Amino acid sequence: ATKPKQTSTIIVAVDTLFIEGARIAKDKGKIIASAFGEIVSQLLDKKPINGFIITGGDTALHVLNALETKAIELENEVLAGIPAGWLIGGKADNIQIVTKAGGFGTPAALLTAIDYLQNNRYKKKM
């Protein structure tokens, strides 16, 4: 019997709630977010990924641009204001995603998002 391919979930989180973090993000935010996009794209080339959790609008934009994503097909809300869906187009086509605005939600929101992805893998209707 062949061994099933192991897949991973990538979490890209940027916390600007701390004063120093906010200053760095303001000065270098686009550079940092762009670097995250490139890193995620390279990781996807090397390892199968089954889901993304991305916090922060600039971060999400740069990651999805690096993956050449065309759209997100919204499916559900993990929690109020934290949407989940499927990526359409690009190198991450048909991979699940949860996005969360930076500074929004409780610290447990990320744990809830992880649980959501782990319990809803591969359930998209084709």
Side-chain angles (χ1 to χ4, degrees):
T2 60
K3 190 175 182 181
K5 241 184 205 180
Q6 289 188 335
T7 59
S8 300
T9 298
I10 289 183
I11 301 172
V12 181
V14 179
D15 188 349
T16 58
L17 296 178
F18 299 104
I19 293 170
E20 183 64 18
R23 185 189 64 74
I24 291 169
K26 182 178 178 187
D27 294 345
K28 308 289 183 195
K30 288 185 181 180
I31 294 168
I32 294 167
S34 182
F36 275 132
E38 288 303 314
I39 291 166
V40 170
S41 179
Q42 289 176 25
L43 287 172
L44 187 61
D45 288 340
K46 296 179 189 304
K47 184 170 177 124
I49 304 296
N50 66 24
F52 293 95
I53 300 169
I54 305 176
T55 70
D58 281 343
T59 304
L61 177 65
H62 282 84
V63 169
L64 297 179
N65 282 340
L67 297 174
E68 300 176 357
T69 300
K70 303 297 180 213
I72 298 174
E73 180 183 331
L74 294 178
E75 175 182 66
N76 205 349
E77 274 187 313
V78 173
L79 295 168
I82 302 177
W86 298 87
L87 298 176
I88 298 173
K91 6 180 6 175
D93 187 51
N94 205 30
I95 293 178
Q96 289 181 291
I97 185 167
V98 173
T99 61
K100 184 183 90 53
F104 177 81
T106 67
L110 287 176
L111 296 175
T112 303
I114 293 167
D115 185 60
Y116 178 88
L117 288 181
Q118 288 176 336
N119 290 312
N120 289 288
R121 287 183 182 164
Y122 315 114
K123 292 188 179 179
K124 182 177 181 189
K125 294 177 183 167
M126 299 294 185

